Amino acid sequence: MGKYRMSEFRRSVLLATLDIPEGETRTYKEIAKKIGRPNAARAVGTALKNNPMAPTIPCHRVVRSDGSIGNYTHMGRNSPEKKRALLKSEGVTL
DNA sequence: CAACACAAAGTAG
DNA sequence: CTACTTTGTGTTG
């Protein structure tokens, strides 16, 4: 029987990210806090890095706490510019 | 064991 | 004040 089970941490991160409304942004810290690991903002980034295989999850709505855009990996390629473009497309004022 | 899509506090100037 | 360094966190390679 296959175990469709990734770590709880990763699953929580994805769900929390999926819960971000359109046009809104959330910080890695906020996501971390939401899933009960307020000090694991870095782990949140690591978790998202392995998941943005599709626009299924609005990982581009997760930004840094200091207002920076943060990073964005898609298909093994880092494109912070793409992230910024997506946010702007949703009407997010940086 | 080392690295990473972060954060906050500490050190140096 | 700004810039760089260090420590904490959880998963992946």
Side-chain angles (χ1 to χ4, degrees):
Chain A
M1 325 272 284
K3 296 184 172 98
Y4 290 91
R5 205 158 120 216
M6 50 182 117
S7 40
E8 291 286 310
F9 184 84
R10 211 163 118 191
R11 178 168 18 198
S12 301
V13 170
L14 297 181
L15 289 175
T17 304
L18 203 59
D19 204 42
I20 305 175
E22 186 183 323
E24 292 286 314
T25 56
R26 227 57 159 160
T27 66
Y28 291 95
K29 192 74 177 272
E30 284 290 293
I31 299 291
K33 191 176 182 180
K34 187 97 175 162
I35 67 178
R37 254 74 191 176
N39 280 26
R42 197 171 193 180
V44 170
T46 306
L48 287 176
K49 182 188 183 180
N50 253 283
N51 282 299
M53 40 187 182
T56 310
I57 296 157
C59 43
H60 59 268
R61 290 182 196 151
V62 186
V63 297
R64 289 173 79 163
S65 240
D66 68 323
S68 297
I69 196 71
N71 234 310
Y72 181 70
T73 303
H74 184 38
M75 306 291 257
R77 175 88 176 163
N78 285 41
S79 309
E81 293 184 12
K82 181 99 178 175
K83 183 171 178 179
R84 183 157 177 149
L86 282 165
L87 287 172
K88 188 169 183 176
S89 245
E90 293 188 356
V92 178
T93 48
L94 300 164

